[in-house]
Amino acid sequence: QTAQPTEDTIFGKIARKEIKVDLLHDDDQCVAFHDISKQAPTHILIIPKEPIKQLSECTVAQEPLLGHLLFVAAQVAKKQGLNEDGYRLVINNGRDGGQSVYHLHIHVLGGRQLGWPPG
Ligand code: 5GP
């Protein structure tokens, strides 16, 4: 099965605001919103507005954007009250990484003790 073109993913539509979701963060480079199928009491996704398929396709030109996404993830986590107990950031990359939506995204998971290692 080949991955869908990034422009056609649900996240592309959310980033372009063709699909309205409750945005927890919105700036010129990225947006954040709740995952539709939460795996923890708090489960948020940070996505770039630029259609990047996955982490492994990033170029050096996107290095500042990657830093920005991480910084925003930490800001959003703090705003959600996760700083005291902690949280986890996850990027699933490709088939073995369990990526299902081929538009780069960072998961922010918190609100319960998370297991390690992942299955
Ligand atoms: P991946 O498995 O690619 O790392 O993560 C994709 C995530 O996107 C999953 O956690 C899934 O629940 C979430 N997701 C898929 N479709 C939608 C949607 O339409 N809206 C939202 N908010 N999340 C979605």
Side-chain angles (χ1 to χ4, degrees):
Q1 188 192 336
T2 51
Q4 337 156 247
T6 303
E7 290 75 13
D8 290 334
T9 69
I10 193 86
F11 291 177
K13 292 184 172 72
I14 290 171
R16 297 193 302 273
K17 303 191 177 157
E18 291 166 17
I19 293 177
K20 291 259 180 297
V21 300
D22 183 19
L23 294 180
L24 306 170
H25 178 93
D26 184 9
D27 66 28
D28 57 327
Q29 297 179 78
C30 68
V31 294
F33 51 92
H34 290 289
D35 195 293
I36 204 167
S37 170
K38 62 180 184 176
Q39 302 301 315
T42 301
H43 187 172
I44 294 162
L45 300 170
I46 319 289
I47 67 169
K49 290 188 171 174
E50 186 181 340
I52 298 169
K53 207 172 121 188
Q54 58 194 118
L55 183 66
S56 55
E57 294 217 336
C58 286
T59 65
V60 71
Q62 287 155 340
E63 194 177 341
L65 170 62
L66 290 175
H68 182 70
L69 294 175
L70 267 187
F71 186 75
V72 167
Q75 279 187 314
V76 169
K78 184 178 182 184
K79 207 168 153 191
Q80 294 290 315
L82 297 178
N83 264 10
E84 191 176 338
D85 292 335
Y87 55 91
R88 181 175 297 164
L89 305 185
V90 172
I91 298 176
N92 295 324
N93 184 83
R95 187 197 64 187
D96 282 3
Q99 185 171 3
S100 61
V101 178
Y102 280 82
H103 182 122
L104 178 64
H105 50 282
I106 300 177
H107 296 258
V108 180
L109 297 146
R112 68 169 170 84
Q113 179 68 61
L114 299 164
W116 191 265

